[in-house]
């Protein structure tokens, strides 16, 4: 069976980001790569959004960028500016197309549908598959969204809505998220932070329809795209072995308090690329331990006091937006961390710390 220097298991966001980073830095001139990916076609299936706190390779796949956003709780709306750290949305269709077209040109890179088609014995493996089957009691961010088109210009495309908590909470944390791509096109998502075993929240289609028709007061619209998914708000169990590194969600690249993963994947890819010549001896890359610790406490509060979360999220954005964006994007210093911590309701968080 054919052997390769490197194997990437899963040609999704993390697998392709890594392959692209290595390819543009000419790491496959005399090395070979096998990408294991079962899907037949790459079609748009996700929208990756984030505050651009650092440069990335996919500026040409950005569908839209915003400098303003809002957060709502019942009877209160907060408007926030983010001029220096814009919020970007990447179209996964453009992302897949750009990467596949680049990788196809290098004959040292091959795609396979199944790992059994190649020998893995002497390869270094980057794995993006995780086993999360036993995690029924853990928290997930689960959501569904539709892109809609209207005949008339009804959206203000200069401002997106990060979280609208003015909706049913059903004993969990629930909000709507609206990304207006233009004056007559927007992605509208219903998002839940809860345990997955609770199926009573999964009437996503009805929730979105009701929100669009009775909250946004839009009656005449066309659905042009749909995405549904779930992001684990816990670290999947995946043991790092010699000659194997986990990447993407499987590699712990999700920020647990937010679900943001895309930019962490890009940072991880750069780290691997910088160290590829000595990869088996390189320290494992991880999200800074201080965020792991703070997010754990945050999620304990979320689980115990879901009804308090809309106010906590809103409060977080009081004051400088740069501060909170940097904190949520793993780029904060000690003083920024302190500022955020001081905004939180003290006793609830101290209680959660000692749980
Ligand atoms: C719908 C959705 C929207 C998201 N939006 C955001 C966002 O706005 N911002 C953000 O930062 N993060 C977001 N995330 C979180 C995260 O960025 C994505 O989940 C991202 O795709 C994670 O990359 P990954 O490579 O770990 O997983 P994936 O992109 O899911 O890649 C895994 C790949 O493995 C393949 N595969 C499956 N089975 C096998 C097998 N047996 N062998 C080999 N390969 C296999 C799959 O086909 C897939 O291509 C979102 C997640 C989802 C699900």
């Amino acid at each position: 069976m054919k052997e390769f220097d490197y194997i990437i298991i899963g040609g999704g966001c993390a697998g392709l980001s890594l392959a692209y980073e290595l390819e543009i830095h000419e790491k496959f001139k005399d090395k070979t790569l096998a990408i294991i990916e079962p899907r037949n076609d790459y079609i748009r299936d996700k929208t990756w959004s984030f505050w651009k706190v650092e440069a990335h390779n996919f500026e040409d796949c950005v569908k839209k960028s915003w400098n303003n956003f809002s957060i709502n709780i019942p009877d209160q709306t907060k408007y926030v500016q983010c001029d220096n750290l814009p919020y970007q949305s990447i179209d996964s269709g453009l992302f897949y197309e750009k990467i596949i077209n680049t990788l196809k040109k290098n004959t040292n890179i091959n795609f396979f549908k199944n790992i059994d088609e190649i020998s893995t014995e002497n390869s270094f493996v980057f794995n993006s598959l995780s086993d999360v089957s036993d995690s029924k009691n853990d928290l997930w961010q689960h959501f569904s969204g539709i892109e809609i088109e209207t005949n008339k210009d009804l959206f203000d495309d200069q401002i997106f809505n990060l979280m609208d908590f003015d909706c049913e909470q059903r004993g969990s944390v629930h909000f709507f998220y609206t990304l207006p791509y233009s004056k007559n096109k927007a992605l509208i998502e219903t998002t839940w932070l809860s345990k997955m075993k609770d199926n009573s929240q999964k009437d996503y289609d009805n929730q979105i329809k009701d929100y669009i028709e009775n909250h946004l007061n839009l009656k005449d619209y066309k659905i042009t795209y749909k995405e549904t998914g779930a992001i684990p708000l816990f670290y999947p169990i995946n043991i790092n072995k010699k000659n194997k590194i986990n990447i993407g969600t499987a590699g712990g690249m999700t920020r647990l308090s937010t679900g943001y993963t895309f930019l962490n994947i890009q940072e991880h890819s750069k780290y691997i690329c910088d160290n590829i010549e000595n990869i088996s001896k390189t320290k494992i890359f991880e999200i800074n331990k201080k965020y792991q610790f703070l997010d754990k406490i945050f999620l304990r509060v979320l689980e115990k006091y879901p009804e308090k979360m809309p106010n906590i999220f809103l409060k977080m954005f009081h004051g400088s937006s740069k501060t909170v964006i940097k904190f949520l994007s793993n780029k904060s210093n000690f003083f920024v961390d302190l500022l955020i911590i001081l905004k939180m309701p003290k006793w609830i968080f101290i209680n959660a710390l000692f749980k």
Side-chain angles (χ1 to χ4, degrees):
M1 269 201 284
K2 209 166 171 207
E3 290 201 337
F4 293 85
D5 295 298
Y6 307 117
I7 298 172
I8 292 178
I9 304 179
C13 182
L16 291 184
S17 295
L18 175 61
Y20 186 79
E21 184 73 28
L22 293 169
E23 171 61 11
I24 60 171
H25 288 93
E26 304 189 334
K27 303 293 183 188
F28 301 122
K29 267 188 164 168
D30 54 359
K31 298 280 182 197
T32 53
L33 167 71
I35 300 177
I36 316 299
E37 172 54 54
R39 62 175 114 187
N40 292 323
D41 297 306
Y42 275 102
I43 46 162
R44 179 183 170 201
D45 56 359
K46 291 182 185 93
T47 310
W48 294 299
S49 308
F50 49 84
W51 284 282
K52 191 191 167 193
V53 290
E54 62 187 3
H56 56 79
N57 291 328
F58 305 104
E59 210 58 52
D60 49 350
C61 305
V62 171
K63 203 174 158 76
K64 175 94 182 162
S65 197
W66 296 267
N67 292 331
N68 298 283
F69 61 95
S70 60
I71 302 174
N72 306 59
I73 60 169
D75 301 325
Q76 206 179 329
T77 302
K78 175 141 195 66
Y79 295 98
V80 186
Q81 267 190 348
C82 56
D83 312 49
N84 299 323
L85 301 169
Y87 195 76
Q88 296 188 320
S89 273
I90 299 247
D91 180 319
S92 59
L94 298 175
F95 168 95
Y96 296 139
E97 192 185 343
K98 166 175 165 139
I99 299 181
I100 300 297
N101 285 342
T102 303
L103 301 182
K104 258 190 344 205
K105 293 181 192 143
N106 189 335
T107 52
N108 281 344
I109 303 173
N110 289 274
F111 278 81
F112 297 89
K113 288 242 156 35
N114 197 304
I115 190 94
D116 299 337
E117 294 174 54
I118 59 169
S119 161
T120 57
E121 241 166 82
N122 299 311
S123 310
F124 196 95
V125 176
F126 299 100
N127 168 55
S128 68
L129 292 193
S130 48
D131 180 12
V132 287
S133 50
D134 288 324
S135 48
K136 289 197 187 89
N137 277 319
D138 288 303
L139 283 172
W140 289 77
Q141 183 183 123
H142 55 108
F143 48 88
S144 184
I146 56 172
E147 201 172 281
I148 60 166
E149 215 175 295
T150 55
N151 284 331
K152 294 186 189 140
D153 289 348
L154 297 170
F155 300 107
D156 178 353
D157 62 349
Q158 296 308 304
I159 179 164
F160 73 96
N161 183 232
L162 184 67
M163 291 188 257
D164 183 355
F165 288 103
D166 190 6
C167 54
E168 283 185 298
Q169 299 296 310
R170 301 184 195 170
S172 288
V173 179
H174 177 217
F175 60 88
F176 284 89
Y177 169 61
T178 302
L179 297 177
Y181 296 127
S182 68
K183 291 192 189 320
N184 74 333
K185 250 188 211 166
L187 177 77
I188 298 165
E189 276 190 7
T190 178
T191 305
W192 293 86
L193 307 179
S194 70
K195 290 175 184 167
M196 282 295 260
K197 62 182 177 192
D198 188 356
N199 277 321
S200 68
Q201 298 156 347
K202 300 208 181 109
D203 54 331
Y204 302 131
D205 292 348
N206 287 338
Q207 295 165 27
I208 299 175
K209 186 172 185 292
D210 179 63
Y211 184 74
I212 294 175
E213 296 182 4
N214 299 319
H215 195 97
L216 301 179
N217 295 319
L218 302 178
K219 303 284 180 229
D220 194 14
Y221 60 90
K222 187 170 86 188
I223 300 174
T224 51
Y225 165 78
K226 183 171 178 178
E227 71 178 42
T228 301
I231 305 173
L233 300 182
F234 56 92
Y235 292 118
I237 303 154
N238 242 328
I239 300 147
N240 283 301
K241 293 189 194 146
K242 192 174 174 285
N243 292 341
K244 182 183 165 209
I245 287 179
N246 295 313
I247 58 173
T249 304
M253 287 303 111
T254 299
R255 185 72 192 275
L256 299 191
S257 55
T258 61
Y260 287 116
T261 315
F262 185 85
L263 273 191
N264 298 330
I265 287 176
Q266 305 316 316
E267 213 177 325
H268 195 192
S269 301
K270 288 192 174 85
Y271 178 82
I272 293 172
C273 183
D274 289 345
N275 292 288
I276 193 74
E277 278 82 17
N278 204 17
I279 195 67
S280 52
K281 294 198 179 88
T282 301
K283 194 172 166 273
I284 297 292
F285 178 93
E286 58 176 4
I287 290 182
N288 190 319
K289 285 254 180 340
K290 78 174 173 188
Y291 298 114
Q292 294 189 31
F293 172 73
L294 292 171
D295 286 356
K296 210 164 136 189
I297 298 172
F298 187 82
L299 290 182
R300 276 187 202 157
V301 172
L302 189 146
E303 215 172 336
K304 208 163 168 204
Y305 306 100
E307 74 287 356
K308 299 215 181 290
M309 294 319 288
N311 261 308
I312 289 178
F313 276 113
L314 190 84
K315 246 184 154 174
M316 228 188 225
F317 284 91
H318 282 332
S320 154
S321 61
K322 214 170 165 183
T323 314
V324 66
I325 291 170
K326 286 204 162 181
F327 177 78
L328 296 175
S329 312
N330 333 332
K331 298 284 173 231
S332 54
N333 58 29
F334 173 75
F335 295 103
V336 170
D337 298 341
L338 201 63
L339 279 175
I340 302 291
I341 291 167
L342 289 173
K343 285 184 200 176
M344 298 294 114
K346 311 281 168 308
W347 286 114
I348 293 176
F349 277 77
I350 291 170
N351 218 338
L353 178 66
F354 294 110
K355 187 188 135 183

